[in-house]
Amino acid sequence: MVLLLAGGRGFTRRDGLRRLKERIENIPGATNVRYEPSRLRPRTVVADIDVEMYLGDAFPRQTATLEVLWRPHEGKDVQRVQWADEAVSLGWHKDDDHPDLGTTHFQLEASGEVVHEPGQIEVEAPLGFLEVCLDRLPDALRATSES
Amino acid sequence: MSEKEPIWPDEMDAGERVRHVALTRTEPRNAGWIADEAAVSRDTAVKYLTRMVEQGDLEVVETRNGDAYKPDSVTQFLGEVRQLAEEHTLDELTRELNAIGNEIDAWKDDYEVESLAALRQTIGRDDLAGDERRERLNVIEEWAYNVEVREAIQLAISLKSSLTTLDADSLSGESSATLPQEG
């Protein structure tokens, strides 16, 4: 009776995370792409990133992790695309933490400070959302090395 | 600038984009909505959606806005059970059941509840701060997910056992010998 009990969203989630993992495996510089907490029960996809290989350019920081959470939910999915290296943690979050900033907010933590801004992403499909974030990520990272 | 125009990986063709959008829905969406998300024409979306319905991947729901589509929950569930059974050993499946049990036990201790339903009831408490309520809502979602995956793993273990028995019977030629005799 699990189908009636839980609505089957967990299986939608496993399917979506599989596609997200395939996409992340194609990111330049991404290695050790894995599910957390486990392959059988994935909640997020995590990758180690060689930053200069990813950016195709010199950068002051060498390694990072990229973590993508996706949790389908009736009404509004939760999705977070989060980059973390030795100096900054930044990402785009579609969740209920800052409804005043719109459907999605951008969060930047650096030097002990946290900044939240409107994320302005209206895309629903998890791969489409990730692609917008990947499109913006290089500029967001370069901005953190200039300040 | 608000990003309403979808961006897709270059290697995904129209069919793959429609498939991804349709299979990640939690509520039914019509062909026009799916077409916009997948960056294809409505006619192209209808072509792929119709094929997915015929294959049993999607179910059609009639709404005020016409036919809407969502993943067929039975196909999805059975597919997951089969994949769990085929891709994992009995030991891996058993260890995951144990990990799920341990995590649920830890949540019961942390929130001093006996069940998922009891944790849901605590959301209405006046003394919870906004952060605490959000944290509990997150745990509720993951707890429900754990329960769902646990059900699928249990069925996958049964499926593996049945397949092993069938395989052993056919290999030893006992399947016909064990049939009840007529008359």
Side-chain angles (χ1 to χ4, degrees):
Chain A
M1 289 299 102
V2 64
L3 297 174
L4 296 174
L5 177 73
R9 282 198 296 272
F11 306 114
T12 301
R13 184 180 193 181
R14 281 168 54 87
D15 194 67
L17 285 168
R18 257 196 296 276
R19 299 310 311 268
L20 289 168
K21 183 168 181 282
E22 288 168 8
R23 172 66 185 98
I24 292 169
E25 283 167 342
N26 284 330
I27 294 176
T31 56
N32 190 22
V33 183
R34 61 211 181 260
Y35 292 121
E36 297 285 355
S38 74
R39 192 155 72 94
L40 283 87
R41 185 171 37 115
R43 291 177 191 153
T44 64
V45 179
V46 183
D48 299 331
I49 307 287
D50 180 315
V51 183
E52 293 192 349
M53 198 179 291
Y54 170 63
L55 292 173
D57 209 351
F59 197 73
R61 307 187 295 272
Q62 304 302 309
T63 58
T65 59
L66 181 70
E67 180 167 20
V68 178
L69 174 142
W70 182 63
R71 191 169 65 214
H73 190 275
E74 209 160 322
K76 191 175 90 172
D77 297 349
V78 173
Q79 186 163 1
R80 298 188 192 113
V81 176
Q82 190 71 23
W83 172 282
D85 60 39
E86 64 191 40
V88 303
S89 176
L90 61 84
W92 292 265
H93 298 185
K94 180 162 64 174
D95 55 26
D96 289 329
D97 288 356
H98 296 278
D100 50 317
L101 298 177
T103 314
T104 306
H105 67 273
F106 175 71
Q107 182 169 315
L108 170 64
E109 296 177 60
S111 310
E113 286 186 19
V114 185
V115 178
H116 299 102
E117 298 170 358
Q120 296 173 324
I121 305 176
E122 305 293 332
V123 177
E124 290 286 329
L127 266 179
F129 185 95
L130 172 63
E131 209 60 27
V132 172
C133 298
L134 291 176
D135 189 54
R136 295 180 183 180
L137 185 55
D139 285 346
L141 285 174
R142 291 189 185 103
T144 65
S145 70
E146 290 161 2
S147 55
Chain B
M1 182 190 65
S2 185
E3 207 77 57
K4 290 194 175 179
E5 292 295 316
I7 303 177
W8 287 96
D10 294 338
E11 65 274 15
M12 285 183 82
D13 64 24
E16 289 174 311
R17 299 200 299 270
V18 170
R19 189 172 178 81
H20 175 70
V21 172
L23 289 179
T24 51
R25 294 307 90 216
T26 52
E27 48 193 314
R29 293 290 189 179
N30 64 30
W33 190 96
I34 292 171
D36 287 346
E37 272 285 317
V40 301
S41 70
R42 191 181 179 284
D43 285 351
T44 301
V46 168
K47 181 179 80 174
Y48 288 111
L49 292 168
T50 303
R51 193 178 300 170
M52 290 176 74
V53 171
E54 287 167 358
Q55 290 169 341
D57 293 331
L58 295 180
E59 59 182 286
V60 183
V61 180
E62 286 180 25
T63 71
R64 278 180 303 177
N65 300 323
D67 284 351
Y69 303 84
K70 71 185 196 64
D72 185 283
S73 49
V74 175
T75 300
Q76 207 171 31
F77 179 68
L78 294 177
E80 290 291 341
V81 170
R82 178 178 184 161
Q83 193 169 42
L84 286 168
E86 287 179 345
E87 294 183 0
H88 299 277
T89 64
L90 263 181
D91 189 43
E92 285 173 335
L93 295 171
T94 309
R95 271 190 278 126
E96 194 66 27
L97 284 181
N98 189 46
I100 289 171
N102 286 340
E103 187 166 51
I104 289 175
D105 285 347
W107 284 327
K108 286 179 178 175
D109 284 348
D110 288 349
Y111 299 103
E112 298 177 334
V113 293
E114 281 305 310
S115 66
L116 174 58
L119 182 59
R120 284 187 198 280
Q121 286 172 359
T122 70
I123 296 299
R125 269 174 29 192
D126 288 335
D127 60 331
L128 287 184
D131 284 353
E132 290 174 306
R133 196 164 52 246
R134 274 195 294 276
E135 179 190 305
R136 284 173 187 237
L137 285 169
N138 275 328
V139 169
I140 286 168
E141 294 277 333
E142 298 301 352
W143 190 329
Y145 180 53
N146 273 7
V147 169
E148 211 172 90
V149 175
R150 185 174 64 190
E151 295 275 352
I153 291 175
Q154 286 168 334
L155 278 172
I157 290 173
S158 297
L159 178 61
K160 266 181 116 65
S161 308
S162 300
L163 291 175
T164 306
T165 308
L166 284 171
D167 196 35
D169 284 352
S170 63
L171 282 175
S172 63
E174 288 175 0
S175 52
S176 57
T178 54
L179 287 173
Q181 297 294 310
E182 282 186 283

